[in-house]
Amino acid sequence: MSAGRIVVGWTPDEFGAVALVHALAEARLRGLGVVTVNVSRGDALVDDHFAHPEALDRLEAELAASGLEHEVRQAVAPDVAAEILRVAEEVGAALVVLGLKRRTPVGKLLMGSVAQRVILDARCPVLAVKPGD
């Protein structure tokens, strides 16, 4: 896979789905491949953001159907934002795409924001999208 890919921070939910839709559209427009990254901190017995094998199989099928060059990466890392940024740097990302969820200011203060860190620290443009109508 050539350099200059689209990196998408993916979760097996509506936020990951909307991020993937936009990442695939951008990849088609730019003639680039897609690297999908699914990360967990591993600090909970069940992490709804960490995809099970069945969800990864569905993701792989959707990526294959797109006809685009693609790669799926899954990792357990202490810092989700740092892992997304590391992959983006490693592949020479042209764009990072993230799905956003609404959080209260207190929620952001207590738990931090992966999206905020990626937006502020990425060396390439970041597209933040939300599920909608």
Side-chain angles (χ1 to χ4, degrees):
M1 201 180 291
S2 61
R5 292 172 271 175
I6 307 279
V7 171
V8 56
W10 180 82
T11 52
D13 56 20
E14 65 182 324
F15 305 101
V18 72
L20 186 62
V21 165
H22 286 276
L24 293 175
E26 286 292 327
R28 282 187 197 96
L29 283 172
R30 299 170 185 228
L32 299 174
V34 175
V35 178
T36 306
V37 183
N38 178 240
V39 185
S40 173
R41 287 193 309 265
D43 58 355
L45 294 176
V46 176
D47 181 351
D48 292 335
H49 295 118
F50 200 61
H52 296 287
E54 299 82 24
L56 290 175
D57 289 345
R58 287 190 300 273
L59 171 64
E60 182 62 43
E62 185 173 353
L63 289 165
S66 77
L68 296 168
E69 209 172 331
H70 64 275
E71 178 182 350
V72 175
R73 297 189 186 192
Q74 190 176 46
V76 175
D79 186 332
V80 173
E83 181 64 13
I84 293 169
L85 291 165
R86 185 193 70 71
V87 171
E89 189 71 23
E90 178 186 317
V91 303
L95 178 71
V96 174
V97 182
L98 302 171
L100 291 181
K101 62 178 76 175
R102 176 104 172 97
R103 294 179 57 191
T104 66
V106 173
K108 290 178 195 171
L109 178 66
L110 294 176
M111 299 184 345
S113 170
V114 169
Q116 182 177 348
R117 289 256 326 280
V118 172
I119 289 167
L120 293 174
D121 294 343
R123 293 185 183 199
C124 64
V126 177
L127 175 61
V129 296
K130 295 185 282 187
D133 302 307

